[in-house]
Amino acid sequence: MSVTVFLQANAKQHSAEMLGGKGQGLAQLIQVGLSVPPTVVISTKAFHQFFSSDLRALAREVGYGNDPEAYTRLTALVRTRPLPVDVTAVLQVLGKPPWLAVRSSAAHEDSERFSGAGVLRSFLGVPCVSTRVTAAIKAVWLSALADPARIYARLVADAELLDGGIAVVLQPMVNACVSGVAFAQIEGTRVEAIYGLPFPLVNGIVTPDTYVTREKEVTTVHVESYKRTALVLHDSMWDTARPGSTITLLRTGGRALHGVLVKRNAHLTAVRLEYPHYDASVLDESDVYTVAALAKAAISARHALNVDIEWAETVDGWTLLQSRPITTPIHLKPSTINKVEGVAPGETQGLALDPTRTSLPFPFGALLLVSEFGPQHLPLLAVAGGVISQRGGMLSHGAILCRELRKPMLITHTPHTHLHGLAVRINGTSGALDVLPEVGA
């Protein structure tokens, strides 16, 4: 049996044990004819062949004992050991696009029980060169031994993510003008959207525009004002453009966004949006219905009751980037008090502490005060009582992890540095944030 699978309509169906959770979800979308970028999955079989007994023994030492010496030996072996995959042939199958997305797809990830949201590494903008893609695949596998994955496995999955194997999804990067995430449940769909590529949204780096649709009604929950910068895939037509040059981003239906080039690297261009785009809603009502329809189609493809999709709009139309079950159902329109939004239910109280402003160990039960919250904070979340973040959305990786770990989380949408060192009570269900009186005051 081949260790790589090119996902195609009417092709043989493979299980999550072979494709991993993300790979299987994409295969189901392709089977019913939904728009998905060309996809090749490096299967869990390749992973198991690569991680033979000597590597697996070292991985156990790293995973259970957090042994730095064992990790150094393991990474040295991984770096020099050849993959059981003809990466050059895989790139030919994908059409040798300029840039690839290399995403994790563990057997225990993106399942009905465990999302594993962002705890394994994924890499965007990987050059379509066999050595770079090979290094990215190995880095995805090794990320199962990093703190976020090990802590998630211990607290949520009750298993090592290495146990079931880790497949890897390879796709051409999609040049999204608008993108986002949607949770579709029986009672309706919540849609979060930003301009440009979706990774700032899923990583909780920005606050998205948010919409809820029920049957024939669309409610705009939040429109983030002053959306200044969009990160988009670099286009060769901008090769000679300098910072300050006018950039036009094209959407479906002949719509256009206008902005100014701020900076760029090899594969990304940062565009500062011009008025009225930075104050206007990212999606109109028709767009929200389109995303909701994509989510419903994904539900049908998965034969499920709910679904979490990542989507993108390009000049050529709408496409799906992933589909997985919802592990933690949400209230479609959360309670908000004084613009503070509850995104993970529950109530707790304690000292609000910004870990960057103290050199002491983070106290058990304290509230984690951050500008943005993501899987990189899992070591702190393991001891924290809850999270207060300035930015983010309910569908971000960090919010999903808080709900799975049953830790309350609020998003303030405004600076909150004044809370550092204060005793506060938070309610992630209602959105309440109360500063408690000082003892003896």
Side-chain angles (χ1 to χ4, degrees):
M1 181 186 295
S2 173
V3 297
T4 62
V5 180
F6 180 42
L7 302 186
Q8 302 177 78
N10 304 317
K12 177 183 176 182
Q13 287 289 297
H14 296 283
S15 66
E17 286 72 26
M18 178 75 167
L19 302 179
K22 190 177 281 92
Q24 186 191 39
L26 290 167
Q28 291 169 331
L29 300 178
I30 291 170
Q31 281 290 319
V32 298
L34 294 173
S35 175
V36 174
T39 304
V40 170
V41 179
I42 310 300
S43 72
T44 57
K45 184 179 179 182
F47 172 86
H48 289 304
Q49 287 184 13
F50 184 83
F51 275 84
S52 53
S53 57
D54 59 334
L55 289 185
R56 191 166 286 272
L58 273 175
R60 295 293 183 198
E61 289 184 45
V62 175
Y64 292 125
N66 197 20
D67 185 338
E69 183 181 342
Y71 185 77
T72 300
R73 284 184 286 142
L74 176 64
T75 53
L77 286 171
V78 166
R79 193 177 297 115
T80 57
R81 181 166 296 187
L83 288 180
V85 177
D86 186 344
V87 174
T88 301
V90 169
L91 301 183
Q92 292 286 353
V93 169
L94 289 171
K96 297 197 72 174
W99 312 104
L100 287 176
V102 181
R103 302 173 185 265
S104 66
S105 183
H108 295 314
E109 185 183 12
D110 294 326
S111 67
E112 292 183 0
R113 295 181 62 198
F114 313 119
S115 71
V119 300
L120 294 175
R121 294 288 303 276
S122 289
F123 298 90
L124 304 179
V126 178
C128 196
V129 178
S130 59
T131 54
R132 299 290 295 273
V133 175
T134 296
I137 293 169
K138 292 178 178 181
V140 169
W141 287 343
L142 282 174
S143 69
L145 301 173
D147 283 345
R150 291 192 305 107
I151 291 170
Y152 179 84
R154 175 168 55 86
L155 296 178
V156 180
D158 194 28
E160 292 297 319
L161 291 176
L162 287 173
D163 289 346
I166 301 172
V168 179
V169 170
L170 305 182
Q171 295 174 314
M173 287 282 291
V174 171
N175 199 2
C177 185
V178 169
S179 62
V181 180
F183 268 34
Q185 301 174 160
I186 292 175
E187 65 271 31
T189 301
R190 179 182 172 101
V191 178
E192 294 185 351
I194 62 172
Y195 291 124
L197 295 164
F199 69 86
L201 187 161
V202 299
N203 290 331
I205 298 171
V206 299
T207 298
D209 286 4
T210 303
Y211 316 84
V212 168
T213 174
R214 295 182 178 91
E215 296 182 352
K216 297 182 179 180
E217 176 188 9
V218 171
T219 302
T220 299
V221 177
H222 176 81
V223 173
E224 181 72 0
S225 61
Y226 220 53
K227 298 178 283 285
R228 291 304 302 263
T229 304
L231 292 175
V232 296
L233 200 60
H234 181 68
D235 193 303
S236 59
M237 72 175 66
W238 305 330
D239 282 347
T240 59
R242 296 175 177 270
S245 301
T246 299
I247 296 291
T248 299
L249 307 176
L250 297 178
R251 300 182 63 179
T252 56
R255 295 177 292 177
L257 298 174
H258 302 290
V260 173
L261 190 150
V262 178
K263 61 181 178 179
R264 66 173 186 236
N265 61 20
H267 74 283
L268 289 179
T269 297
V271 178
R272 187 177 67 246
L273 298 171
E274 295 180 338
Y275 180 84
H277 306 304
Y278 60 73
D279 272 338
S281 175
V282 173
L283 302 181
D284 62 24
E285 187 173 286
S286 175
D287 296 329
V288 177
Y289 282 130
T290 297
V291 174
L294 285 173
K296 289 179 180 178
I299 285 178
S300 178
R302 298 191 67 101
H303 306 289
L305 295 177
N306 59 49
V307 74
D308 164 5
I309 63 168
E310 189 176 316
W311 55 270
E313 182 200 15
T314 71
V315 65
D316 298 317
W318 302 78
T319 191
L320 290 165
L321 305 178
Q322 82 167 32
S323 164
R324 64 185 178 198
I326 296 174
T327 56
T328 55
I330 60 172
H331 294 294
L332 290 180
K333 187 177 180 182
S335 298
T336 302
I337 298 178
N338 295 328
K339 297 186 178 181
V340 176
E341 184 180 12
V343 298
E347 182 175 279
T348 189
Q349 64 185 51
L351 282 179
L353 294 176
D354 179 347
T356 67
R357 296 171 64 181
T358 177
S359 59
L360 299 175
F362 198 82
F364 183 85
L367 303 181
L368 186 58
L369 193 66
V370 290
S371 58
E372 58 200 48
F373 178 76
Q376 71 275 16
H377 292 107
L378 266 173
L380 292 174
L381 185 63
V383 297
V387 176
I388 306 171
S389 179
Q390 179 180 333
R391 297 187 293 273
M394 180 176 275
L395 310 187
S396 68
H397 287 157
I400 293 171
L401 292 173
C402 278
R403 293 194 294 273
E404 286 191 334
L405 287 168
R406 300 182 180 179
K407 304 273 187 166
M409 178 175 173
L410 297 180
I411 296 174
T412 61
H413 298 299
T414 56
H416 55 28
T417 54
H418 63 285
L419 296 175
H420 176 71
L422 299 181
V424 300
R425 180 189 298 115
I426 66 171
N427 188 310
T429 306
S430 68
L433 190 162
D434 300 303
V435 177
L436 302 177
E438 295 183 19
V439 176

PDB file of all heavy atoms in Angstrom, residues 290-320:
ATOM      1  N   THR A 290     -23.638  32.278   2.051  1.00  0.00           N
ATOM      2  CA  THR A 290     -22.771  31.401   1.278  1.00  0.00           C
ATOM      3  C   THR A 290     -21.923  30.526   2.190  1.00  0.00           C
ATOM      4  O   THR A 290     -21.804  29.311   1.991  1.00  0.00           O
ATOM      5  CB  THR A 290     -21.855  32.226   0.349  1.00  0.00           C
ATOM      6  OG1 THR A 290     -22.661  32.929  -0.597  1.00  0.00           O
ATOM      7  CG2 THR A 290     -20.880  31.328  -0.401  1.00  0.00           C
ATOM      8  N   VAL A 291     -21.333  31.130   3.226  1.00  0.00           N
ATOM      9  CA  VAL A 291     -20.511  30.362   4.166  1.00  0.00           C
ATOM     10  C   VAL A 291     -21.378  29.352   4.920  1.00  0.00           C
ATOM     11  O   VAL A 291     -20.981  28.196   5.118  1.00  0.00           O
ATOM     12  CB  VAL A 291     -19.786  31.295   5.142  1.00  0.00           C
ATOM     13  CG1 VAL A 291     -19.046  30.489   6.210  1.00  0.00           C
ATOM     14  CG2 VAL A 291     -18.818  32.193   4.388  1.00  0.00           C
ATOM     15  N   ALA A 292     -22.578  29.773   5.329  1.00  0.00           N
ATOM     16  CA  ALA A 292     -23.473  28.852   6.033  1.00  0.00           C
ATOM     17  C   ALA A 292     -23.853  27.671   5.150  1.00  0.00           C
ATOM     18  O   ALA A 292     -23.950  26.529   5.623  1.00  0.00           O
ATOM     19  CB  ALA A 292     -24.727  29.592   6.498  1.00  0.00           C
ATOM     20  N   ALA A 293     -24.054  27.927   3.860  1.00  0.00           N
ATOM     21  CA  ALA A 293     -24.377  26.845   2.934  1.00  0.00           C
ATOM     22  C   ALA A 293     -23.206  25.875   2.786  1.00  0.00           C
ATOM     23  O   ALA A 293     -23.391  24.654   2.697  1.00  0.00           O
ATOM     24  CB  ALA A 293     -24.767  27.413   1.573  1.00  0.00           C
ATOM     25  N   LEU A 294     -21.973  26.416   2.759  1.00  0.00           N
ATOM     26  CA  LEU A 294     -20.791  25.557   2.718  1.00  0.00           C
ATOM     27  C   LEU A 294     -20.731  24.676   3.962  1.00  0.00           C
ATOM     28  O   LEU A 294     -20.409  23.483   3.883  1.00  0.00           O
ATOM     29  CB  LEU A 294     -19.523  26.402   2.631  1.00  0.00           C
ATOM     30  CG  LEU A 294     -19.199  27.060   1.292  1.00  0.00           C
ATOM     31  CD1 LEU A 294     -18.002  27.992   1.454  1.00  0.00           C
ATOM     32  CD2 LEU A 294     -18.910  26.016   0.223  1.00  0.00           C
ATOM     33  N   ALA A 295     -21.034  25.260   5.119  1.00  0.00           N
ATOM     34  CA  ALA A 295     -21.002  24.493   6.362  1.00  0.00           C
ATOM     35  C   ALA A 295     -22.062  23.392   6.361  1.00  0.00           C
ATOM     36  O   ALA A 295     -21.797  22.264   6.797  1.00  0.00           O
ATOM     37  CB  ALA A 295     -21.202  25.427   7.551  1.00  0.00           C
ATOM     38  N   LYS A 296     -23.254  23.710   5.867  1.00  0.00           N
ATOM     39  CA  LYS A 296     -24.304  22.685   5.804  1.00  0.00           C
ATOM     40  C   LYS A 296     -23.911  21.558   4.856  1.00  0.00           C
ATOM     41  O   LYS A 296     -24.186  20.379   5.108  1.00  0.00           O
ATOM     42  CB  LYS A 296     -25.622  23.321   5.372  1.00  0.00           C
ATOM     43  CG  LYS A 296     -26.245  24.218   6.428  1.00  0.00           C
ATOM     44  CD  LYS A 296     -27.544  24.850   5.949  1.00  0.00           C
ATOM     45  CE  LYS A 296     -28.147  25.750   7.009  1.00  0.00           C
ATOM     46  NZ  LYS A 296     -29.391  26.420   6.540  1.00  0.00           N
ATOM     47  N   ALA A 297     -23.263  21.914   3.745  1.00  0.00           N
ATOM     48  CA  ALA A 297     -22.799  20.880   2.811  1.00  0.00           C
ATOM     49  C   ALA A 297     -21.737  20.006   3.472  1.00  0.00           C
ATOM     50  O   ALA A 297     -21.680  18.796   3.241  1.00  0.00           O
ATOM     51  CB  ALA A 297     -22.243  21.539   1.548  1.00  0.00           C
ATOM     52  N   ALA A 298     -20.881  20.626   4.302  1.00  0.00           N
ATOM     53  CA  ALA A 298     -19.866  19.850   5.015  1.00  0.00           C
ATOM     54  C   ALA A 298     -20.508  18.914   6.034  1.00  0.00           C
ATOM     55  O   ALA A 298     -20.042  17.788   6.235  1.00  0.00           O
ATOM     56  CB  ALA A 298     -18.880  20.792   5.702  1.00  0.00           C
ATOM     57  N   ILE A 299     -21.578  19.363   6.694  1.00  0.00           N
ATOM     58  CA  ILE A 299     -22.318  18.490   7.616  1.00  0.00           C
ATOM     59  C   ILE A 299     -22.836  17.268   6.869  1.00  0.00           C
ATOM     60  O   ILE A 299     -22.717  16.130   7.326  1.00  0.00           O
ATOM     61  CB  ILE A 299     -23.481  19.262   8.278  1.00  0.00           C
ATOM     62  CG1 ILE A 299     -22.946  20.209   9.337  1.00  0.00           C
ATOM     63  CG2 ILE A 299     -24.483  18.295   8.900  1.00  0.00           C
ATOM     64  CD1 ILE A 299     -24.016  21.044  10.013  1.00  0.00           C
ATOM     65  N   SER A 300     -23.414  17.510   5.701  1.00  0.00           N
ATOM     66  CA  SER A 300     -23.934  16.405   4.887  1.00  0.00           C
ATOM     67  C   SER A 300     -22.813  15.457   4.477  1.00  0.00           C
ATOM     68  O   SER A 300     -22.971  14.234   4.515  1.00  0.00           O
ATOM     69  CB  SER A 300     -24.643  16.966   3.655  1.00  0.00           C
ATOM     70  OG  SER A 300     -25.115  15.918   2.825  1.00  0.00           O
ATOM     71  N   ALA A 301     -21.669  16.006   4.086  1.00  0.00           N
ATOM     72  CA  ALA A 301     -20.543  15.180   3.655  1.00  0.00           C
ATOM     73  C   ALA A 301     -20.033  14.303   4.785  1.00  0.00           C
ATOM     74  O   ALA A 301     -19.605  13.161   4.557  1.00  0.00           O
ATOM     75  CB  ALA A 301     -19.417  16.061   3.127  1.00  0.00           C
ATOM     76  N   ARG A 302     -20.097  14.812   6.007  1.00  0.00           N
ATOM     77  CA  ARG A 302     -19.584  14.071   7.158  1.00  0.00           C
ATOM     78  C   ARG A 302     -20.644  13.207   7.807  1.00  0.00           C
ATOM     79  O   ARG A 302     -20.360  12.453   8.736  1.00  0.00           O
ATOM     80  CB  ARG A 302     -19.023  15.031   8.204  1.00  0.00           C
ATOM     81  CG  ARG A 302     -17.842  15.867   7.748  1.00  0.00           C
ATOM     82  CD  ARG A 302     -17.206  16.575   8.929  1.00  0.00           C
ATOM     83  NE  ARG A 302     -16.599  15.600   9.828  1.00  0.00           N
ATOM     84  CZ  ARG A 302     -15.291  15.339   9.868  1.00  0.00           C
ATOM     85  NH1 ARG A 302     -14.463  15.997   9.092  1.00  0.00           N
ATOM     86  NH2 ARG A 302     -14.817  14.437  10.705  1.00  0.00           N
ATOM     87  N   HIS A 303     -21.910  13.336   7.363  1.00  0.00           N
ATOM     88  CA  HIS A 303     -23.029  12.617   7.991  1.00  0.00           C
ATOM     89  C   HIS A 303     -23.038  12.908   9.491  1.00  0.00           C
ATOM     90  O   HIS A 303     -23.105  11.996  10.319  1.00  0.00           O
ATOM     91  CB  HIS A 303     -22.932  11.111   7.731  1.00  0.00           C
ATOM     92  CG  HIS A 303     -22.816  10.760   6.282  1.00  0.00           C
ATOM     93  ND1 HIS A 303     -23.871  10.891   5.392  1.00  0.00           N
ATOM     94  CD2 HIS A 303     -21.771  10.308   5.554  1.00  0.00           C
ATOM     95  CE1 HIS A 303     -23.476  10.514   4.180  1.00  0.00           C
ATOM     96  NE2 HIS A 303     -22.203  10.165   4.255  1.00  0.00           N
ATOM     97  N   ALA A 304     -22.936  14.211   9.810  1.00  0.00           N
ATOM     98  CA  ALA A 304     -22.793  14.631  11.203  1.00  0.00           C
ATOM     99  C   ALA A 304     -23.923  15.571  11.591  1.00  0.00           C
ATOM    100  O   ALA A 304     -24.756  15.972  10.755  1.00  0.00           O
ATOM    101  CB  ALA A 304     -21.449  15.322  11.394  1.00  0.00           C
ATOM    102  N   LEU A 305     -23.959  15.928  12.878  1.00  0.00           N
ATOM    103  CA  LEU A 305     -24.938  16.889  13.379  1.00  0.00           C
ATOM    104  C   LEU A 305     -24.363  18.298  13.443  1.00  0.00           C
ATOM    105  O   LEU A 305     -25.112  19.265  13.510  1.00  0.00           O
ATOM    106  CB  LEU A 305     -25.417  16.468  14.779  1.00  0.00           C
ATOM    107  CG  LEU A 305     -26.205  15.154  14.856  1.00  0.00           C
ATOM    108  CD1 LEU A 305     -26.544  14.833  16.308  1.00  0.00           C
ATOM    109  CD2 LEU A 305     -27.473  15.232  14.016  1.00  0.00           C
ATOM    110  N   ASN A 306     -23.050  18.415  13.444  1.00  0.00           N
ATOM    111  CA  ASN A 306     -22.415  19.725  13.502  1.00  0.00           C
ATOM    112  C   ASN A 306     -21.071  19.645  12.810  1.00  0.00           C
ATOM    113  O   ASN A 306     -20.547  18.560  12.559  1.00  0.00           O
ATOM    114  CB  ASN A 306     -22.270  20.216  14.947  1.00  0.00           C
ATOM    115  CG  ASN A 306     -21.449  19.259  15.796  1.00  0.00           C
ATOM    116  OD1 ASN A 306     -20.361  18.836  15.400  1.00  0.00           O
ATOM    117  ND2 ASN A 306     -21.955  18.919  16.977  1.00  0.00           N
ATOM    118  N   VAL A 307     -20.500  20.812  12.511  1.00  0.00           N
ATOM    119  CA  VAL A 307     -19.209  20.819  11.836  1.00  0.00           C
ATOM    120  C   VAL A 307     -18.516  22.156  12.066  1.00  0.00           C
ATOM    121  O   VAL A 307     -19.162  23.202  12.226  1.00  0.00           O
ATOM    122  CB  VAL A 307     -19.362  20.549  10.322  1.00  0.00           C
ATOM    123  CG1 VAL A 307     -19.937  21.769   9.597  1.00  0.00           C
ATOM    124  CG2 VAL A 307     -18.062  20.128   9.678  1.00  0.00           C
ATOM    125  N   ASP A 308     -17.199  22.098  12.118  1.00  0.00           N
ATOM    126  CA  ASP A 308     -16.323  23.266  12.215  1.00  0.00           C
ATOM    127  C   ASP A 308     -15.543  23.321  10.905  1.00  0.00           C
ATOM    128  O   ASP A 308     -14.810  22.389  10.581  1.00  0.00           O
ATOM    129  CB  ASP A 308     -15.398  23.070  13.425  1.00  0.00           C
ATOM    130  CG  ASP A 308     -14.181  23.992  13.447  1.00  0.00           C
ATOM    131  OD1 ASP A 308     -14.061  24.872  12.581  1.00  0.00           O
ATOM    132  OD2 ASP A 308     -13.339  23.801  14.348  1.00  0.00           O
ATOM    133  N   ILE A 309     -15.740  24.393  10.129  1.00  0.00           N
ATOM    134  CA  ILE A 309     -15.029  24.500   8.854  1.00  0.00           C
ATOM    135  C   ILE A 309     -14.120  25.725   8.849  1.00  0.00           C
ATOM    136  O   ILE A 309     -14.391  26.716   9.518  1.00  0.00           O
ATOM    137  CB  ILE A 309     -15.987  24.581   7.637  1.00  0.00           C
ATOM    138  CG1 ILE A 309     -16.849  25.853   7.699  1.00  0.00           C
ATOM    139  CG2 ILE A 309     -16.832  23.330   7.515  1.00  0.00           C
ATOM    140  CD1 ILE A 309     -17.596  26.156   6.409  1.00  0.00           C
ATOM    141  N   GLU A 310     -13.028  25.606   8.108  1.00  0.00           N
ATOM    142  CA  GLU A 310     -12.182  26.751   7.777  1.00  0.00           C
ATOM    143  C   GLU A 310     -12.374  27.010   6.291  1.00  0.00           C
ATOM    144  O   GLU A 310     -12.308  26.066   5.495  1.00  0.00           O
ATOM    145  CB  GLU A 310     -10.717  26.437   8.089  1.00  0.00           C
ATOM    146  CG  GLU A 310      -9.780  27.623   7.979  1.00  0.00           C
ATOM    147  CD  GLU A 310      -8.355  27.257   8.389  1.00  0.00           C
ATOM    148  OE1 GLU A 310      -8.200  26.554   9.419  1.00  0.00           O
ATOM    149  OE2 GLU A 310      -7.412  27.646   7.671  1.00  0.00           O
ATOM    150  N   TRP A 311     -12.640  28.247   5.919  1.00  0.00           N
ATOM    151  CA  TRP A 311     -13.024  28.566   4.544  1.00  0.00           C
ATOM    152  C   TRP A 311     -12.237  29.782   4.048  1.00  0.00           C
ATOM    153  O   TRP A 311     -11.639  30.527   4.824  1.00  0.00           O
ATOM    154  CB  TRP A 311     -14.537  28.850   4.456  1.00  0.00           C
ATOM    155  CG  TRP A 311     -14.981  29.920   5.412  1.00  0.00           C
ATOM    156  CD1 TRP A 311     -15.420  29.760   6.701  1.00  0.00           C
ATOM    157  CD2 TRP A 311     -14.966  31.335   5.173  1.00  0.00           C
ATOM    158  NE1 TRP A 311     -15.689  30.986   7.270  1.00  0.00           N
ATOM    159  CE2 TRP A 311     -15.423  31.972   6.363  1.00  0.00           C
ATOM    160  CE3 TRP A 311     -14.622  32.127   4.085  1.00  0.00           C
ATOM    161  CZ2 TRP A 311     -15.545  33.344   6.477  1.00  0.00           C
ATOM    162  CZ3 TRP A 311     -14.736  33.514   4.198  1.00  0.00           C
ATOM    163  CH2 TRP A 311     -15.202  34.099   5.389  1.00  0.00           C
ATOM    164  N   ALA A 312     -12.262  29.952   2.729  1.00  0.00           N
ATOM    165  CA  ALA A 312     -11.584  31.107   2.131  1.00  0.00           C
ATOM    166  C   ALA A 312     -12.325  31.540   0.876  1.00  0.00           C
ATOM    167  O   ALA A 312     -12.925  30.719   0.177  1.00  0.00           O
ATOM    168  CB  ALA A 312     -10.130  30.768   1.795  1.00  0.00           C
ATOM    169  N   GLU A 313     -12.280  32.852   0.607  1.00  0.00           N
ATOM    170  CA  GLU A 313     -12.809  33.401  -0.640  1.00  0.00           C
ATOM    171  C   GLU A 313     -11.650  33.958  -1.457  1.00  0.00           C
ATOM    172  O   GLU A 313     -10.852  34.758  -0.948  1.00  0.00           O
ATOM    173  CB  GLU A 313     -13.818  34.515  -0.360  1.00  0.00           C
ATOM    174  CG  GLU A 313     -14.426  35.087  -1.631  1.00  0.00           C
ATOM    175  CD  GLU A 313     -15.030  36.481  -1.429  1.00  0.00           C
ATOM    176  OE1 GLU A 313     -14.743  37.120  -0.396  1.00  0.00           O
ATOM    177  OE2 GLU A 313     -15.765  36.935  -2.332  1.00  0.00           O
ATOM    178  N   THR A 314     -11.548  33.522  -2.690  1.00  0.00           N
ATOM    179  CA  THR A 314     -10.547  34.045  -3.620  1.00  0.00           C
ATOM    180  C   THR A 314     -11.282  34.701  -4.780  1.00  0.00           C
ATOM    181  O   THR A 314     -12.518  34.678  -4.854  1.00  0.00           O
ATOM    182  CB  THR A 314      -9.640  32.923  -4.153  1.00  0.00           C
ATOM    183  OG1 THR A 314     -10.389  32.100  -5.059  1.00  0.00           O
ATOM    184  CG2 THR A 314      -9.097  32.057  -3.016  1.00  0.00           C
ATOM    185  N   VAL A 315     -10.546  35.246  -5.720  1.00  0.00           N
ATOM    186  CA  VAL A 315     -11.169  35.852  -6.892  1.00  0.00           C
ATOM    187  C   VAL A 315     -11.947  34.812  -7.692  1.00  0.00           C
ATOM    188  O   VAL A 315     -12.905  35.147  -8.410  1.00  0.00           O
ATOM    189  CB  VAL A 315     -10.099  36.542  -7.766  1.00  0.00           C
ATOM    190  CG1 VAL A 315      -9.128  35.519  -8.350  1.00  0.00           C
ATOM    191  CG2 VAL A 315     -10.743  37.362  -8.871  1.00  0.00           C
ATOM    192  N   ASP A 316     -11.575  33.528  -7.545  1.00  0.00           N
ATOM    193  CA  ASP A 316     -12.227  32.466  -8.313  1.00  0.00           C
ATOM    194  C   ASP A 316     -13.419  31.841  -7.609  1.00  0.00           C
ATOM    195  O   ASP A 316     -14.123  31.025  -8.209  1.00  0.00           O
ATOM    196  CB  ASP A 316     -11.208  31.357  -8.640  1.00  0.00           C
ATOM    197  CG  ASP A 316     -10.069  31.871  -9.492  1.00  0.00           C
ATOM    198  OD1 ASP A 316     -10.337  32.631 -10.445  1.00  0.00           O
ATOM    199  OD2 ASP A 316      -8.910  31.526  -9.203  1.00  0.00           O
ATOM    200  N   GLY A 317     -13.646  32.188  -6.346  1.00  0.00           N
ATOM    201  CA  GLY A 317     -14.793  31.611  -5.646  1.00  0.00           C
ATOM    202  C   GLY A 317     -14.461  31.238  -4.212  1.00  0.00           C
ATOM    203  O   GLY A 317     -13.447  31.650  -3.646  1.00  0.00           O
ATOM    204  N   TRP A 318     -15.328  30.414  -3.631  1.00  0.00           N
ATOM    205  CA  TRP A 318     -15.226  30.014  -2.236  1.00  0.00           C
ATOM    206  C   TRP A 318     -14.687  28.593  -2.159  1.00  0.00           C
ATOM    207  O   TRP A 318     -15.062  27.736  -2.954  1.00  0.00           O
ATOM    208  CB  TRP A 318     -16.590  30.083  -1.563  1.00  0.00           C
ATOM    209  CG  TRP A 318     -17.222  31.441  -1.628  1.00  0.00           C
ATOM    210  CD1 TRP A 318     -17.853  32.009  -2.697  1.00  0.00           C
ATOM    211  CD2 TRP A 318     -17.253  32.420  -0.593  1.00  0.00           C
ATOM    212  NE1 TRP A 318     -18.291  33.272  -2.390  1.00  0.00           N
ATOM    213  CE2 TRP A 318     -17.937  33.545  -1.099  1.00  0.00           C
ATOM    214  CE3 TRP A 318     -16.799  32.456   0.717  1.00  0.00           C
ATOM    215  CZ2 TRP A 318     -18.156  34.690  -0.341  1.00  0.00           C
ATOM    216  CZ3 TRP A 318     -17.024  33.585   1.481  1.00  0.00           C
ATOM    217  CH2 TRP A 318     -17.695  34.695   0.955  1.00  0.00           C
ATOM    218  N   THR A 319     -13.826  28.348  -1.173  1.00  0.00           N
ATOM    219  CA  THR A 319     -13.235  27.021  -1.035  1.00  0.00           C
ATOM    220  C   THR A 319     -13.134  26.654   0.437  1.00  0.00           C
ATOM    221  O   THR A 319     -13.118  27.521   1.316  1.00  0.00           O
ATOM    222  CB  THR A 319     -11.844  26.972  -1.708  1.00  0.00           C
ATOM    223  OG1 THR A 319     -11.395  25.626  -1.800  1.00  0.00           O
ATOM    224  CG2 THR A 319     -10.830  27.801  -0.929  1.00  0.00           C
ATOM    225  N   LEU A 320     -13.081  25.353   0.703  1.00  0.00           N
ATOM    226  CA  LEU A 320     -12.971  24.833   2.063  1.00  0.00           C
ATOM    227  C   LEU A 320     -11.546  24.363   2.312  1.00  0.00           C
ATOM    228  O   LEU A 320     -10.970  23.651   1.483  1.00  0.00           O
ATOM    229  CB  LEU A 320     -13.950  23.676   2.272  1.00  0.00           C
ATOM    230  CG  LEU A 320     -15.426  24.085   2.310  1.00  0.00           C
ATOM    231  CD1 LEU A 320     -16.332  22.870   2.156  1.00  0.00           C
ATOM    232  CD2 LEU A 320     -15.739  24.801   3.614  1.00  0.00           C
TER     233      LEU A 320
END
